[in-house]
Amino acid sequence: METETEKQEFGKFQWFFFVIFIPMIFTLTLVGVILSVAGFDVLGKAKSTLKEIPVVEKLFKEEETPATSQVMKEEAQKKEIKKLEETVEEQSVMITALEKDLTNKEKEVQTLTQEISSLEKQLEEIKNTEAETNNQKKDISSLYDNMSSKKAAEIIPNLSQEDALLILTSLDDKQVADILAKMTVEDAVKYTGLLSSKEE
């Protein structure tokens, strides 16, 4: 049979359990629910409070190791993404610089092409002018071929120096010698000097 002392101890335990422990657990649960609904992080606060207790702290560290490892992986991924973004940005800047350089080169090529085209036109004009001059020389040559050297010696000194030289250079050496022989000494010396300087 139970003694009186054992009954009293059992009675005190029941009293503590029903009067203090259960109402306290119920109250804490109710407060926790109300605070969670209100927007407070009850579990987070409870964890941070329990972490400060030396024995419980070790348990939390063991629990958090996988989570911490996940966080570290995420941070490493973020760093990697940031590096890749920086690389992409650098390459984008390089591409822009190369495109600009290419545009400048294309402009230079275009300018050079225009200059070449302009020079070709000038060369063509010079060729046409030379052809015209040659035609003029031929015309003049044929004109003075039919003229006597005496008549030519009278006409040439009355022409401009440029025209006179054009006529004399268009004729062959024998014709020129005949014309110079029929000129006055002064005119012959003058035109002989002009012809020799032109040939140089």
Side-chain angles (χ1 to χ4, degrees), residues 5-196:
T5 311
E6 286 176 347
K7 281 183 180 179
Q8 283 180 350
E9 282 178 13
F10 188 69
K12 283 181 184 178
F13 178 74
Q14 280 182 336
W15 181 84
F16 172 78
F17 189 76
F18 288 113
V19 175
I20 294 173
F21 184 74
I22 289 176
M24 189 173 78
I25 294 296
F26 179 75
T27 306
L28 286 172
T29 307
L30 186 63
V31 168
V33 170
I34 290 168
L35 289 173
S36 293
V37 171
F40 291 101
D41 186 16
V42 179
L43 289 174
K45 280 281 184 188
K47 278 185 180 180
S48 61
T49 309
L50 289 170
K51 278 182 192 177
E52 292 171 10
I53 301 166
V55 178
V56 181
E57 183 183 1
K58 288 179 184 177
L59 294 170
F60 275 104
K61 276 186 181 173
E62 286 173 8
E63 276 180 21
E64 284 181 1
T65 305
T68 307
S69 141
Q70 182 65 28
V71 169
M72 286 172 71
K73 279 182 186 175
E74 285 175 4
E75 283 178 5
Q77 284 177 346
K78 283 179 184 175
K79 283 181 184 176
E80 190 68 28
I81 288 167
K82 193 174 182 183
K83 278 184 185 176
L84 289 169
E85 284 173 351
E86 285 172 1
T87 307
V88 167
E89 196 173 335
E90 284 171 10
Q91 287 177 349
S92 176
V93 168
M94 282 176 68
I95 287 166
T96 306
L98 288 169
E99 284 174 348
K100 193 175 181 182
D101 192 40
L102 183 65
T103 305
N104 291 338
K105 295 287 181 196
E106 283 174 352
K107 283 179 182 175
E108 283 176 22
V109 168
Q110 196 173 2
T111 306
L112 286 169
T113 307
Q114 286 174 350
E115 285 178 10
I116 289 166
S117 177
S118 174
L119 288 169
E120 283 174 348
K121 281 180 183 175
Q122 286 177 18
L123 187 63
E124 192 64 35
E125 285 172 8
I126 289 166
K127 283 179 182 175
N128 290 338
T129 307
E130 284 177 359
E132 284 173 14
T133 306
N134 289 335
N135 289 337
Q136 281 179 345
K137 283 183 179 180
K138 282 178 186 174
D139 292 345
I140 291 165
S141 176
S142 62
L143 177 70
Y144 279 87
D145 274 344
N146 300 325
M147 193 182 287
S148 68
S149 55
K150 186 180 177 187
K151 190 79 177 167
E154 289 173 5
I155 293 170
I156 288 171
N158 294 316
L159 298 172
S160 68
Q161 189 174 299
E162 192 179 315
D163 289 343
L165 278 173
L166 181 66
I167 291 164
L168 290 171
T169 53
S170 66
L171 299 170
D172 61 40
D173 291 342
K174 187 179 180 302
Q175 285 176 305
V176 172
D178 287 345
I179 291 168
L180 289 173
K182 300 281 190 302
M183 284 183 182
T184 62
V185 175
E186 284 179 11
D187 288 338
V189 169
K190 176 185 171 185
Y191 288 111
T192 303
L194 288 169
L195 283 167
S196 61

